[in-house]
Amino acid sequence: MMRMSSQVEYGLRAMLDIALNGSDGPVQAGDIHRRQGIDEHFISQILLMLRRAGLIESLRGRQGGHRLARPASLITVLEIIEALEGSDEARERPGQANVIEVAVVRDAWNEARDRVRCYFRDVTLADLCERRNALSTSSYMI
């Protein structure tokens, strides 16, 4: 039904990688590329979008890289999605609103979209880190 774009998936994975590996210092794009298997050029574009949205900071130099701009508990999945794809309101198409069938379908779609947005507004990057850690510990139990 609804699909997550590659850009959003890779952006979420990159943010998760930075959150999980950033305690030792800035995380370099090449390291994200290797750990996540994301094309180096694509990850650079995604990181630029995340930086422009104020979700990460970039540090230059030999020991440079990327770090979260604020704690993972204060970054929502919705913010990451909107940083990479824009808000749904920006993509709304006008026209044919006077046709009742169009209005009914749009209302139903908007209601579903609003529910998804509310869910992602409540899920933080810290929540994703906790889920990842829980999965990694449970998958190694024998």
Side-chain angles (χ1 to χ4, degrees), residues 48-103:
L48 179 63
M49 294 169 78
L50 293 169
R51 184 177 59 78
R52 286 182 179 157
L55 298 175
I56 61 172
E57 299 172 338
S58 298
L59 304 165
R60 293 181 177 225
R62 193 170 175 181
Q63 300 299 318
H66 306 277
R67 66 180 178 203
L68 299 179
R70 53 187 198 267
S73 61
L74 299 178
I75 298 173
T76 69
V77 170
L78 182 61
E79 286 181 285
I80 298 168
I81 293 169
E82 288 183 345
L84 298 168
E85 295 204 338
S87 67
D88 286 332
E89 289 79 23
R91 291 192 300 257
E92 297 243 346
R93 286 183 240 131
Q96 294 187 344
N98 58 338
V99 178
I100 195 160
E101 289 82 2
V102 172

Side-chain angles (χ1 to χ4, degrees), residues 18-139:
I18 294 168
L20 292 167
N21 297 296
S23 61
D24 297 331
V27 178
Q28 297 183 346
D31 292 334
I32 298 170
H33 152 73
R34 281 186 289 286
R35 282 191 292 263
Q36 299 299 323
I38 301 170
D39 178 76
E40 237 175 322
H41 179 68
F42 198 26
I43 196 64
S44 295
Q45 291 176 339
I46 289 169
L47 292 170
L48 179 63
M49 294 169 78
L50 293 169
R51 184 177 59 78
R52 286 182 179 157
L55 298 175
I56 61 172
E57 299 172 338
S58 298
L59 304 165
R60 293 181 177 225
R62 193 170 175 181
Q63 300 299 318
H66 306 277
R67 66 180 178 203
L68 299 179
R70 53 187 198 267
S73 61
L74 299 178
I75 298 173
T76 69
V77 170
L78 182 61
E79 286 181 285
I80 298 168
I81 293 169
E82 288 183 345
L84 298 168
E85 295 204 338
S87 67
D88 286 332
E89 289 79 23
R91 291 192 300 257
E92 297 243 346
R93 286 183 240 131
Q96 294 187 344
N98 58 338
V99 178
I100 195 160
E101 289 82 2
V102 172
V104 168
V105 170
R106 284 187 182 171
D107 283 348
W109 190 260
N110 288 337
E111 183 179 334
R113 183 197 65 212
D114 290 344
R115 288 181 184 188
V116 170
R117 287 176 53 84
C118 285
Y119 173 78
F120 286 135
R121 187 180 299 121
D122 292 338
V123 178
T124 67
L125 187 55
D127 295 330
L128 295 183
C129 289
E130 288 176 18
R131 290 179 188 194
R132 186 259 181 211
N133 290 337
L135 282 175
S136 69
T137 57
S138 67
S139 63

